[in-house]
């Protein structure tokens, strides 16, 4: 049986975001999990602990000791914290458009203030539809408007079932401002005794700069002709990279 691949969704998403990937990964044995509902809170360590419980169950079911862990955006931040706490359970780590911490304390303060303002906006919104309408207009997601209508509808459906109060908690307690500084995180990732890959869309300027930092540290970087959500915009190419990560290329 092939090594399990575990997929962690991003902010304002659930496991359905991975449907287009799960169906095309050669060898199967791919698990997309909803890790937020099972967590005891919204901090990255608490979310990572929720993931760990799922990993242990999947390892037991597959009679294995390690998995390939994949995290997109917020899920990437969770995956980083998981790697810090439970490295012995990893065969490989794949980070897709993941924030790796602020560059300095000034940026940490900026992100803390911005995320708190966003959290307040979500808490004060009259409906989740109002939140989603605003979220989908952020420049980060502009390239998603180029996707087929069915893909956009599926994405919106996931977003519309989210709880604004839970989202606010995730922003305050699990935002990039809560991580170690970027340089410390990159050093940790580069020192892991397993394959680490950073995936990024070339049209995503902020995360392309993070990819540059990873590449300079010796971390394998793969770039795609798309925006922030690589697995949505390039599912087949993304699936091939996952299979390479578990050594089945």
């Amino acid at each position: 049986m092939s090594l399990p691949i575990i997929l962690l969704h991003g902010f304002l998403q659930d496991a359905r975001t991975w449907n287009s990937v799960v169906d095309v990964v050669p060898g199967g044995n791919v698990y997309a999990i909803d890790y937020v509902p099972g967590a005891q809170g919204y901090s990255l360590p608490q979310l990572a602990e929720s993931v760990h419980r799922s990993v242990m169950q999947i390892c037991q079911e597959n009679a294995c000791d390690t998995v390939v862990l994949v995290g997109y955006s917020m899920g990437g931040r969770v995956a980083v914290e998981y790697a810090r706490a439970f490295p012995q359970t990893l065969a490989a780590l794949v980070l897709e458009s993941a924030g790796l911490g602020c560059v300095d304390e000034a940026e940490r303060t900026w992100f803390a203030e911005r995320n708190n303002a966003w959290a307040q906006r979500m808490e004060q919104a009259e409906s989740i539809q109002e939140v989603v309408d605003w979220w989908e207009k952020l420049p980060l997601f502009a390239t998603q408007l180029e996707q087929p209508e069915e893909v956009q509808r599926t994405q919106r459906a996931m977003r519309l079932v989210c709880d604004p109060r839970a989202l606010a908690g995730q922003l305050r307690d699990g935002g990039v401002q809560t991580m170690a500084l970027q340089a410390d995180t990159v050093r940790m990732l580069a020192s892991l005794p397993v394959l680490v890959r950073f995936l990024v869309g070339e049209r995503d300027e902020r995360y392309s700069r993070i990819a540059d930092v990873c590449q300079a540290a010796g971390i394998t970087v793969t770039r795609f002709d798309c925006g922030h959500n690589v697995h949505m915009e390039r599912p087949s190419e993304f699936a091939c990279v996952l299979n390479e990560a578990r050594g089945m290329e």
Side-chain angles (χ1 to χ4, degrees):
M1 184 178 292
S2 56
L3 198 65
I5 295 176
I6 298 178
L7 307 171
L8 307 182
H9 61 79
F11 186 66
L12 261 167
Q13 290 186 334
D14 58 39
R16 287 175 290 174
T17 187
W18 299 109
N19 287 353
S20 60
V21 173
V22 170
D23 294 339
V24 295
V25 174
N29 212 23
V30 182
Y31 299 81
I33 64 173
D34 288 317
Y35 56 92
V36 177
Q40 301 302 308
Y42 302 124
S43 72
L44 296 179
Q46 289 169 319
L47 295 173
E49 181 60 40
S50 176
V51 172
H52 184 247
R53 289 193 292 271
S54 295
V55 169
M56 290 298 95
Q57 181 178 345
I58 290 168
C59 283
Q60 184 175 13
E61 293 171 356
N62 288 272
C64 63
D65 297 320
T66 59
V67 301
V68 176
L69 186 63
V70 183
Y72 161 65
S73 201
M74 182 183 81
R77 297 197 302 273
V78 175
V80 166
E81 183 60 35
Y82 184 98
R84 196 186 302 277
F86 309 106
Q88 71 280 2
T89 66
L90 295 179
L93 177 67
V94 180
L95 303 173
E96 174 194 357
S97 306
L100 302 182
C102 300
V103 297
D104 54 29
E105 292 301 329
E107 187 175 71
R108 187 193 301 280
T109 298
W110 185 89
F111 270 105
E113 292 174 351
R114 189 207 68 174
N115 284 348
N116 184 58
W118 281 8
Q120 288 179 340
R121 180 170 187 157
M122 291 178 173
E123 290 167 334
Q124 295 166 5
E126 294 184 0
S127 67
I128 184 61
Q129 181 173 338
E130 180 183 328
V131 172
V132 173
D133 287 346
W134 160 70
W135 187 257
E136 291 181 340
K137 291 183 176 65
L138 292 177
L140 184 66
F141 306 119
T143 58
Q144 295 181 15
L145 299 176
E146 302 170 10
Q147 298 305 299
E149 289 186 9
E150 181 180 353
V151 173
Q152 294 186 52
R153 283 196 299 269
T154 300
Q155 177 87 300
R156 185 173 175 84
M158 282 187 293
R159 290 167 170 166
L160 287 172
V161 298
C162 292
D163 178 352
R165 291 170 297 180
L167 295 173
Q170 293 163 38
L171 282 171
R172 290 193 179 103
D173 298 343
V176 69
Q177 77 277 1
T178 68
M179 302 178 74
L181 291 179
Q182 185 181 95
D184 295 331
T185 300
V186 171
R187 277 194 294 269
M188 183 275 292
L189 293 173
S191 70
L192 288 175
V194 298
L195 172 69
V196 178
R197 291 187 73 158
F198 193 94
L199 313 184
V200 67
E202 293 179 327
R203 296 169 65 184
D204 182 349
E205 293 182 7
R206 168 173 163 73
Y207 289 85
S208 289
R209 291 194 294 271
I210 296 173
D212 292 341
V213 175
C214 290
Q215 194 163 9
I219 295 171
T220 300
V221 172
T222 304
R223 302 174 193 267
F224 301 79
D225 179 20
C226 64
H228 186 64
N229 191 330
V230 177
H231 70 268
M232 171 202 269
E233 300 182 45
R234 296 289 183 271
S236 297
E237 297 171 46
F238 188 91
C240 289
V241 171
L242 298 193
N243 228 42
E244 292 172 5
R246 68 176 171 190
M248 294 186 63
E249 66 276 17

